[in-house]
Amino acid sequence: MPFGRQAARALLLLVLISISIVGLSAPASAEHGAGGGATYSSLAAGFTQDLVGTSNHFAGDLAWASDNDLFLSDCPASGSDLHRYDMQSTDTPIFGTVLHPETVVGSNAGCGMINHPNGKIYSNTTLGVVEINATTGAATGMVFGDPGDALGIAVDPVNGDIIYVGSSASSFPILRAPIGGASSVFVQPAVHLAGFVGEIVFDGSGLLYLALRSGGSRIVVVNPDGTWNRSISIPSEPGGIAFHSSANFMLTMNIDGTITKIDMGAGDAISVFASSAVGRHHLSTVGLDGCLYNTRHKWTTYDDTTVISESSVVRICDVDGDGFLPQVRRHRRHRRHRRHRRHRRHRRHRRHRRHRRPGTLRWTLTSIQNPARMP
């Protein structure tokens, strides 16, 4: 074999090894989740807890910045600033706890927030639905739909419409609005007995779950056509809702600081998932890491068990399972577009390979596996 071909092959091998080493060693974020949290005095087996960040304000809802930083609202009717937690770095430990640093950015959020597949954040406010830039946290100026109750908001997984809770003046109807468009009633107040609605979340099948905070603590399940499916009574007033991505159960984060597990595979059986001596939950979200992020108002328990009257964000992760279901999935139209884009890229790649000049270093994986095909 000519020396030049041996040298080229050796050089290529060294390059591939170097790329692999760099890819394995480069940190994606300043992740510190070692499961050393102390917020919950009891937590279901197989799950860990960590304190993410703290705030001196009311802890509202959470949404994700475009760089995977975490936004927290103060939970007013409108005009809220956003607390931004830098998930790529950490602060000096305090009370034995490593936290993500916090900055405050001006915005116009209400309490409830949701990420949308279009890259924006939308917030339920008494002005209507407010659009927020996910890169900066600033309001874009777009406000649409009828006034909301400033809490529950979700994205229709089929067409991307905004689904949100209307104002108390209208007995909390569940409203539907296309981005930038007028709203219409999706779920009549009679379906949930005109109760005060907190968080609303779609499950993987398209059913909508409402956290009812008045008229008896319960979860009301709504069919995709807006009709009543069933009602699930729980022992405590619910704030947030989350679904496990593979196991057939959901969690409610309750105002009294407990977390209730509802096992849909066992006839909606109720059990305690987590409990804590102090603090109250409010709303929640799920990260790209599959972990559940909860807000807790005005009580923070540090890893060394020091308790301070400040709000906090707590993360719960599934050690052995698949984690929790993201609140926003790409709706069907976006998935078709993604497949179409992949198909076009594949066709361009095939044309590029057919017209590639021989003798270049743009070898395919097949060439590397079969040295005889190398130039």
PDB file of all heavy atoms in Angstrom, residues 186-211:
ATOM      1  N   PHE A 186     -64.007  27.333  24.591  1.00  0.00           N
ATOM      2  CA  PHE A 186     -63.690  25.943  24.290  1.00  0.00           C
ATOM      3  C   PHE A 186     -64.379  25.002  25.282  1.00  0.00           C
ATOM      4  O   PHE A 186     -64.936  23.980  24.897  1.00  0.00           O
ATOM      5  CB  PHE A 186     -62.168  25.748  24.323  1.00  0.00           C
ATOM      6  CG  PHE A 186     -61.704  24.320  24.240  1.00  0.00           C
ATOM      7  CD1 PHE A 186     -62.173  23.472  23.260  1.00  0.00           C
ATOM      8  CD2 PHE A 186     -60.779  23.821  25.147  1.00  0.00           C
ATOM      9  CE1 PHE A 186     -61.742  22.155  23.171  1.00  0.00           C
ATOM     10  CE2 PHE A 186     -60.339  22.512  25.083  1.00  0.00           C
ATOM     11  CZ  PHE A 186     -60.826  21.672  24.085  1.00  0.00           C
ATOM     12  N   VAL A 187     -64.339  25.341  26.561  1.00  0.00           N
ATOM     13  CA  VAL A 187     -64.988  24.540  27.604  1.00  0.00           C
ATOM     14  C   VAL A 187     -65.912  25.460  28.398  1.00  0.00           C
ATOM     15  O   VAL A 187     -65.459  26.448  28.994  1.00  0.00           O
ATOM     16  CB  VAL A 187     -63.962  23.879  28.549  1.00  0.00           C
ATOM     17  CG1 VAL A 187     -64.677  23.048  29.610  1.00  0.00           C
ATOM     18  CG2 VAL A 187     -62.979  23.022  27.767  1.00  0.00           C
ATOM     19  N   GLN A 188     -67.206  25.154  28.410  1.00  0.00           N
ATOM     20  CA  GLN A 188     -68.168  25.974  29.142  1.00  0.00           C
ATOM     21  C   GLN A 188     -67.939  25.838  30.655  1.00  0.00           C
ATOM     22  O   GLN A 188     -67.544  24.773  31.144  1.00  0.00           O
ATOM     23  CB  GLN A 188     -69.588  25.542  28.802  1.00  0.00           C
ATOM     24  CG  GLN A 188     -69.986  25.788  27.359  1.00  0.00           C
ATOM     25  CD  GLN A 188     -70.197  27.265  27.055  1.00  0.00           C
ATOM     26  OE1 GLN A 188     -70.297  28.097  27.966  1.00  0.00           O
ATOM     27  NE2 GLN A 188     -70.257  27.597  25.771  1.00  0.00           N
ATOM     28  N   PRO A 189     -68.173  26.910  31.405  1.00  0.00           N
ATOM     29  CA  PRO A 189     -67.986  26.845  32.870  1.00  0.00           C
ATOM     30  C   PRO A 189     -68.784  25.727  33.532  1.00  0.00           C
ATOM     31  O   PRO A 189     -68.361  25.183  34.559  1.00  0.00           O
ATOM     32  CB  PRO A 189     -68.457  28.224  33.342  1.00  0.00           C
ATOM     33  CG  PRO A 189     -68.258  29.117  32.167  1.00  0.00           C
ATOM     34  CD  PRO A 189     -68.547  28.268  30.967  1.00  0.00           C
ATOM     35  N   ALA A 190     -69.937  25.362  32.956  1.00  0.00           N
ATOM     36  CA  ALA A 190     -70.759  24.313  33.566  1.00  0.00           C
ATOM     37  C   ALA A 190     -70.040  22.971  33.607  1.00  0.00           C
ATOM     38  O   ALA A 190     -70.333  22.131  34.467  1.00  0.00           O
ATOM     39  CB  ALA A 190     -72.070  24.172  32.791  1.00  0.00           C
ATOM     40  N   VAL A 191     -69.065  22.758  32.704  1.00  0.00           N
ATOM     41  CA  VAL A 191     -68.339  21.486  32.672  1.00  0.00           C
ATOM     42  C   VAL A 191     -67.548  21.287  33.959  1.00  0.00           C
ATOM     43  O   VAL A 191     -67.437  20.169  34.475  1.00  0.00           O
ATOM     44  CB  VAL A 191     -67.409  21.432  31.440  1.00  0.00           C
ATOM     45  CG1 VAL A 191     -66.502  20.208  31.489  1.00  0.00           C
ATOM     46  CG2 VAL A 191     -68.240  21.412  30.155  1.00  0.00           C
ATOM     47  N   HIS A 192     -66.994  22.365  34.502  1.00  0.00           N
ATOM     48  CA  HIS A 192     -66.235  22.252  35.754  1.00  0.00           C
ATOM     49  C   HIS A 192     -66.940  22.968  36.900  1.00  0.00           C
ATOM     50  O   HIS A 192     -66.308  23.374  37.883  1.00  0.00           O
ATOM     51  CB  HIS A 192     -64.804  22.767  35.584  1.00  0.00           C
ATOM     52  CG  HIS A 192     -64.696  24.173  35.065  1.00  0.00           C
ATOM     53  ND1 HIS A 192     -64.943  25.268  35.858  1.00  0.00           N
ATOM     54  CD2 HIS A 192     -64.377  24.661  33.837  1.00  0.00           C
ATOM     55  CE1 HIS A 192     -64.751  26.385  35.147  1.00  0.00           C
ATOM     56  NE2 HIS A 192     -64.426  26.034  33.921  1.00  0.00           N
ATOM     57  N   LEU A 193     -68.264  23.162  36.771  1.00  0.00           N
ATOM     58  CA  LEU A 193     -69.108  23.748  37.821  1.00  0.00           C
ATOM     59  C   LEU A 193     -68.654  25.155  38.195  1.00  0.00           C
ATOM     60  O   LEU A 193     -68.792  25.591  39.326  1.00  0.00           O
ATOM     61  CB  LEU A 193     -69.135  22.848  39.066  1.00  0.00           C
ATOM     62  CG  LEU A 193     -69.583  21.407  38.832  1.00  0.00           C
ATOM     63  CD1 LEU A 193     -69.542  20.622  40.131  1.00  0.00           C
ATOM     64  CD2 LEU A 193     -70.975  21.364  38.206  1.00  0.00           C
ATOM     65  N   ALA A 194     -68.128  25.884  37.190  1.00  0.00           N
ATOM     66  CA  ALA A 194     -67.709  27.279  37.368  1.00  0.00           C
ATOM     67  C   ALA A 194     -66.714  27.441  38.506  1.00  0.00           C
ATOM     68  O   ALA A 194     -66.692  28.471  39.184  1.00  0.00           O
ATOM     69  CB  ALA A 194     -68.933  28.184  37.579  1.00  0.00           C
ATOM     70  N   GLY A 195     -65.878  26.437  38.730  1.00  0.00           N
ATOM     71  CA  GLY A 195     -64.895  26.519  39.797  1.00  0.00           C
ATOM     72  C   GLY A 195     -63.680  27.336  39.401  1.00  0.00           C
ATOM     73  O   GLY A 195     -63.427  27.593  38.220  1.00  0.00           O
ATOM     74  N   PHE A 196     -62.899  27.759  40.403  1.00  0.00           N
ATOM     75  CA  PHE A 196     -61.658  28.498  40.197  1.00  0.00           C
ATOM     76  C   PHE A 196     -60.610  27.529  39.654  1.00  0.00           C
ATOM     77  O   PHE A 196     -60.226  26.572  40.332  1.00  0.00           O
ATOM     78  CB  PHE A 196     -61.232  29.118  41.518  1.00  0.00           C
ATOM     79  CG  PHE A 196     -59.886  29.794  41.492  1.00  0.00           C
ATOM     80  CD1 PHE A 196     -59.432  30.469  40.370  1.00  0.00           C
ATOM     81  CD2 PHE A 196     -59.065  29.764  42.612  1.00  0.00           C
ATOM     82  CE1 PHE A 196     -58.205  31.089  40.344  1.00  0.00           C
ATOM     83  CE2 PHE A 196     -57.829  30.388  42.609  1.00  0.00           C
ATOM     84  CZ  PHE A 196     -57.401  31.055  41.470  1.00  0.00           C
ATOM     85  N   VAL A 197     -60.109  27.773  38.437  1.00  0.00           N
ATOM     86  CA  VAL A 197     -59.202  26.852  37.750  1.00  0.00           C
ATOM     87  C   VAL A 197     -57.771  27.353  37.860  1.00  0.00           C
ATOM     88  O   VAL A 197     -57.481  28.522  37.580  1.00  0.00           O
ATOM     89  CB  VAL A 197     -59.585  26.695  36.264  1.00  0.00           C
ATOM     90  CG1 VAL A 197     -58.654  25.696  35.579  1.00  0.00           C
ATOM     91  CG2 VAL A 197     -61.034  26.234  36.138  1.00  0.00           C
ATOM     92  N   GLY A 198     -56.863  26.476  38.259  1.00  0.00           N
ATOM     93  CA  GLY A 198     -55.440  26.800  38.294  1.00  0.00           C
ATOM     94  C   GLY A 198     -54.763  26.349  37.012  1.00  0.00           C
ATOM     95  O   GLY A 198     -55.093  26.804  35.922  1.00  0.00           O
ATOM     96  N   GLU A 199     -53.819  25.433  37.131  1.00  0.00           N
ATOM     97  CA  GLU A 199     -53.063  24.975  35.958  1.00  0.00           C
ATOM     98  C   GLU A 199     -53.919  24.075  35.075  1.00  0.00           C
ATOM     99  O   GLU A 199     -54.787  23.336  35.558  1.00  0.00           O
ATOM    100  CB  GLU A 199     -51.798  24.234  36.389  1.00  0.00           C
ATOM    101  CG  GLU A 199     -50.853  23.949  35.225  1.00  0.00           C
ATOM    102  CD  GLU A 199     -49.410  23.750  35.689  1.00  0.00           C
ATOM    103  OE1 GLU A 199     -49.184  23.032  36.677  1.00  0.00           O
ATOM    104  OE2 GLU A 199     -48.517  24.327  35.060  1.00  0.00           O
ATOM    105  N   ILE A 200     -53.682  24.136  33.767  1.00  0.00           N
ATOM    106  CA  ILE A 200     -54.334  23.244  32.803  1.00  0.00           C
ATOM    107  C   ILE A 200     -53.243  22.608  31.946  1.00  0.00           C
ATOM    108  O   ILE A 200     -52.317  23.283  31.496  1.00  0.00           O
ATOM    109  CB  ILE A 200     -55.375  23.980  31.944  1.00  0.00           C
ATOM    110  CG1 ILE A 200     -54.717  25.070  31.086  1.00  0.00           C
ATOM    111  CG2 ILE A 200     -56.457  24.599  32.831  1.00  0.00           C
ATOM    112  CD1 ILE A 200     -55.676  25.748  30.124  1.00  0.00           C
ATOM    113  N   VAL A 201     -53.342  21.288  31.719  1.00  0.00           N
ATOM    114  CA  VAL A 201     -52.294  20.561  30.999  1.00  0.00           C
ATOM    115  C   VAL A 201     -52.943  19.482  30.132  1.00  0.00           C
ATOM    116  O   VAL A 201     -53.853  18.780  30.591  1.00  0.00           O
ATOM    117  CB  VAL A 201     -51.293  19.899  31.976  1.00  0.00           C
ATOM    118  CG1 VAL A 201     -50.220  19.135  31.210  1.00  0.00           C
ATOM    119  CG2 VAL A 201     -50.644  20.943  32.871  1.00  0.00           C
ATOM    120  N   PHE A 202     -52.454  19.329  28.897  1.00  0.00           N
ATOM    121  CA  PHE A 202     -52.861  18.229  28.037  1.00  0.00           C
ATOM    122  C   PHE A 202     -52.025  16.995  28.345  1.00  0.00           C
ATOM    123  O   PHE A 202     -50.809  17.104  28.588  1.00  0.00           O
ATOM    124  CB  PHE A 202     -52.671  18.589  26.559  1.00  0.00           C
ATOM    125  CG  PHE A 202     -53.718  19.500  25.998  1.00  0.00           C
ATOM    126  CD1 PHE A 202     -53.516  20.874  25.944  1.00  0.00           C
ATOM    127  CD2 PHE A 202     -54.911  18.990  25.519  1.00  0.00           C
ATOM    128  CE1 PHE A 202     -54.478  21.719  25.422  1.00  0.00           C
ATOM    129  CE2 PHE A 202     -55.890  19.815  24.991  1.00  0.00           C
ATOM    130  CZ  PHE A 202     -55.676  21.184  24.942  1.00  0.00           C
ATOM    131  N   ASP A 203     -52.655  15.817  28.311  1.00  0.00           N
ATOM    132  CA  ASP A 203     -51.873  14.591  28.414  1.00  0.00           C
ATOM    133  C   ASP A 203     -51.465  14.137  27.014  1.00  0.00           C
ATOM    134  O   ASP A 203     -51.744  14.816  26.012  1.00  0.00           O
ATOM    135  CB  ASP A 203     -52.644  13.497  29.175  1.00  0.00           C
ATOM    136  CG  ASP A 203     -53.817  12.914  28.383  1.00  0.00           C
ATOM    137  OD1 ASP A 203     -54.049  13.332  27.217  1.00  0.00           O
ATOM    138  OD2 ASP A 203     -54.509  12.036  28.932  1.00  0.00           O
ATOM    139  N   GLY A 204     -50.809  12.983  26.914  1.00  0.00           N
ATOM    140  CA  GLY A 204     -50.311  12.518  25.626  1.00  0.00           C
ATOM    141  C   GLY A 204     -51.389  12.115  24.649  1.00  0.00           C
ATOM    142  O   GLY A 204     -51.142  12.019  23.441  1.00  0.00           O
ATOM    143  N   SER A 205     -52.628  11.895  25.123  1.00  0.00           N
ATOM    144  CA  SER A 205     -53.718  11.469  24.236  1.00  0.00           C
ATOM    145  C   SER A 205     -54.594  12.628  23.785  1.00  0.00           C
ATOM    146  O   SER A 205     -55.513  12.425  22.988  1.00  0.00           O
ATOM    147  CB  SER A 205     -54.586  10.429  24.957  1.00  0.00           C
ATOM    148  OG  SER A 205     -55.325  11.027  26.008  1.00  0.00           O
ATOM    149  N   GLY A 206     -54.335  13.825  24.277  1.00  0.00           N
ATOM    150  CA  GLY A 206     -55.131  14.977  23.885  1.00  0.00           C
ATOM    151  C   GLY A 206     -56.220  15.361  24.861  1.00  0.00           C
ATOM    152  O   GLY A 206     -56.959  16.322  24.622  1.00  0.00           O
ATOM    153  N   LEU A 207     -56.347  14.637  25.996  1.00  0.00           N
ATOM    154  CA  LEU A 207     -57.287  15.033  27.040  1.00  0.00           C
ATOM    155  C   LEU A 207     -56.711  16.227  27.798  1.00  0.00           C
ATOM    156  O   LEU A 207     -55.499  16.312  28.025  1.00  0.00           O
ATOM    157  CB  LEU A 207     -57.538  13.877  28.012  1.00  0.00           C
ATOM    158  CG  LEU A 207     -58.253  12.644  27.452  1.00  0.00           C
ATOM    159  CD1 LEU A 207     -58.323  11.551  28.517  1.00  0.00           C
ATOM    160  CD2 LEU A 207     -59.643  12.991  26.941  1.00  0.00           C
ATOM    161  N   LEU A 208     -57.584  17.140  28.195  1.00  0.00           N
ATOM    162  CA  LEU A 208     -57.165  18.326  28.934  1.00  0.00           C
ATOM    163  C   LEU A 208     -57.539  18.161  30.398  1.00  0.00           C
ATOM    164  O   LEU A 208     -58.687  17.839  30.729  1.00  0.00           O
ATOM    165  CB  LEU A 208     -57.843  19.569  28.365  1.00  0.00           C
ATOM    166  CG  LEU A 208     -57.510  20.908  29.042  1.00  0.00           C
ATOM    167  CD1 LEU A 208     -56.031  21.240  28.891  1.00  0.00           C
ATOM    168  CD2 LEU A 208     -58.371  22.029  28.471  1.00  0.00           C
ATOM    169  N   TYR A 209     -56.580  18.407  31.295  1.00  0.00           N
ATOM    170  CA  TYR A 209     -56.780  18.250  32.728  1.00  0.00           C
ATOM    171  C   TYR A 209     -56.781  19.631  33.384  1.00  0.00           C
ATOM    172  O   TYR A 209     -55.852  20.427  33.174  1.00  0.00           O
ATOM    173  CB  TYR A 209     -55.688  17.378  33.346  1.00  0.00           C
ATOM    174  CG  TYR A 209     -55.799  15.917  32.968  1.00  0.00           C
ATOM    175  CD1 TYR A 209     -55.579  15.485  31.664  1.00  0.00           C
ATOM    176  CD2 TYR A 209     -56.138  14.953  33.920  1.00  0.00           C
ATOM    177  CE1 TYR A 209     -55.691  14.144  31.312  1.00  0.00           C
ATOM    178  CE2 TYR A 209     -56.251  13.605  33.585  1.00  0.00           C
ATOM    179  CZ  TYR A 209     -56.033  13.213  32.285  1.00  0.00           C
ATOM    180  OH  TYR A 209     -56.150  11.883  31.946  1.00  0.00           O
ATOM    181  N   LEU A 210     -57.810  19.906  34.181  1.00  0.00           N
ATOM    182  CA  LEU A 210     -57.965  21.185  34.856  1.00  0.00           C
ATOM    183  C   LEU A 210     -57.779  20.999  36.356  1.00  0.00           C
ATOM    184  O   LEU A 210     -58.414  20.116  36.952  1.00  0.00           O
ATOM    185  CB  LEU A 210     -59.357  21.774  34.608  1.00  0.00           C
ATOM    186  CG  LEU A 210     -59.939  21.709  33.184  1.00  0.00           C
ATOM    187  CD1 LEU A 210     -61.345  22.288  33.183  1.00  0.00           C
ATOM    188  CD2 LEU A 210     -59.043  22.446  32.202  1.00  0.00           C
ATOM    189  N   ALA A 211     -56.953  21.832  36.973  1.00  0.00           N
ATOM    190  CA  ALA A 211     -56.786  21.799  38.429  1.00  0.00           C
ATOM    191  C   ALA A 211     -57.826  22.719  39.052  1.00  0.00           C
ATOM    192  O   ALA A 211     -57.730  23.943  38.947  1.00  0.00           O
ATOM    193  CB  ALA A 211     -55.376  22.232  38.813  1.00  0.00           C
TER     194      ALA A 211
END
